[in-house]
Amino acid sequence: MTAAPGTPVRVGVFGLLGSGNLGNDGSLEAVLGYLRAAHPEAVVDALCGGPEAVTARYGIPATRLHWYRGEYRTASRAGAVAAKGLGKLVDAVRTAAWVRRHDVVIVPGMGVLEATLPLRPWGFPYALFLLCATGRLFATRVALVGVGAAAIGSRPTRALVRWSARLAAYRSYRDTLSRDAMRAMGVDTARDEVHPDLAFALPTPPTGAPPGPPGRVCVGVMAFHGGDDERALAGEIHRRYLDGTTRFVRALAEDGRPVRLLTGDEADAPVADAIVDAVDSPLVTAAETASLADLMREMAAADTVVATRYHNLVCALKVGTPTLALSYAAKSDALMARMGLDAYCHPAREVDAGRLLEQFRALERASAEVRRTLTERNLVATRRLEHQFTALTAALFPAADHAHTVREAS
C-alpha cells in the first residue's frame, strides 16, 4: 500500500511495547526519534502490549496487541483455554484491520526472531506472523528493523519465525549472529544488513549529572530462568544465578563498595529485592528506573557495571562505563566483542562469585584503556546507525528518499 501524493504516510509500530521491558521501549523511542527527525509528516500509531503506557509516554495513539488480556498467563481452566483460542481468531481479524490502515509498519528492534528466553509459539511468534502475513496480503511494507534472532529448538516457533521473516518487506539485524541464524532457517538474507542495536541511537544523559559515591558499582540483575529449551531446569538455573550474584554483591559490600542494583524489566524487581534482603547492607540499594535514559544516568555515575540483560549492557557500553557481562545468550557475547570487551564475559547460568570477582578486578585495573576503547567504538556505532536510518528511508519511504536525492543534486 502506498500513500497517495500529498497524503501523510501512515506508519504503525508493533511489538511488546509499553509492557514493562525497558529495552523494548528504548528501541521504540529510537525509531520514533528517527521518524520525527526524518519524516515529521508521518502519522504514527502503535499495536502493542501496553497501549496506555505507550500513549502516555510517547504521545501516539495505541491499540492493544491481543484481544484476550490474559494472553501471557498460563491457561489451566477450560474457560481460559477457550478464551485464548477465541483470542487467536479475533486477533487475526484485528491485526488485519490494523495493518490495512497503514502504508508502513515497523517492528523496532527487540529479539523478535529468537527464543533465548521462555516463549510459547502461539503468543508473540503467532502475533508477528499475523502482522507479516497481512502486510504481504494488503501490500503494507512491514520492516523488522535492527532485530535479534537465534537458533530455535521448538519446531512450531521456528516455523512461525521463519515465515514472518520471509514475508517481511525489509529486515536488518543487530548482530551478524542474528543474520546467520535466519540464513540457517532458510531465509534469504543476501540483501539484509547488520547494524548496531537501535538503543545506541538514543541520546546520552547530560554530562552535568551529579556523580555517584566514590567506588560505586552498578549491578544489573534479571529474573533469569534459562532459555526456551531449558524449562525443566528453570528453577535450578535461577537458583544458581541468584546465589552467585548475591555472593558477588556481598563481597563488594564487604570491600566497602556502594552497590546500586538495576533492573530492565518489571519482572526483575523481586530479584533485586531478594539480593538487598540477603546482603542486608546499607551499601546495597535498588534503583527505580523507568527508561533506558534512567539506566544510563545510573551507569554513567558508576565506576564499573556488571549486568545481565542485553539492554543493560547496551546502556553501560553507550555511556562508556567499563562493563562486565553476565551473559545468558550468544547475543551478549557478540555485543561485548563488538565493543572490544570480549574478555569480560561470565556465564549467567554458572555464576562463580570468586571467578567473577577476579574478572571484575581485572576490568577495573584496565579501566582507563577500556574507557578509551568504548569512546572509539561508540563513534563507530553512531555512524553505522546513521546508515541504518538512511537505508530505512530508502526502503520504506522512497518518495522522501527521491526528494532528498534531488535536493542533494541541485
Side-chain angles (χ1 to χ4, degrees), residues 169-191:
Y170 175 91
R171 295 178 299 269
S172 65
Y173 306 97
R174 63 189 180 193
D175 51 46
T176 303
L177 288 174
S178 295
R179 183 171 62 184
D180 291 347
M182 296 315 299
R183 183 184 297 122
M185 286 188 213
V187 177
D188 181 2
T189 62
R191 300 176 63 184

Side-chain angles (χ1 to χ4, degrees), residues 329-373:
K331 63 184 178 183
S332 299
D333 297 335
L335 171 65
M336 294 293 283
R338 192 163 60 246
M339 299 300 285
L341 300 186
D342 44 319
Y344 302 107
C345 294
H346 189 94
R349 287 169 177 78
E350 299 285 350
V351 179
D352 180 329
R355 172 62 182 147
L356 185 57
L357 277 167
E358 291 176 6
Q359 290 179 284
F360 174 80
R361 288 165 182 152
L363 175 63
E364 293 216 308
R365 287 193 296 271
S367 177
E369 180 183 351
V370 167
R371 288 180 181 273
R372 286 193 295 271
T373 297

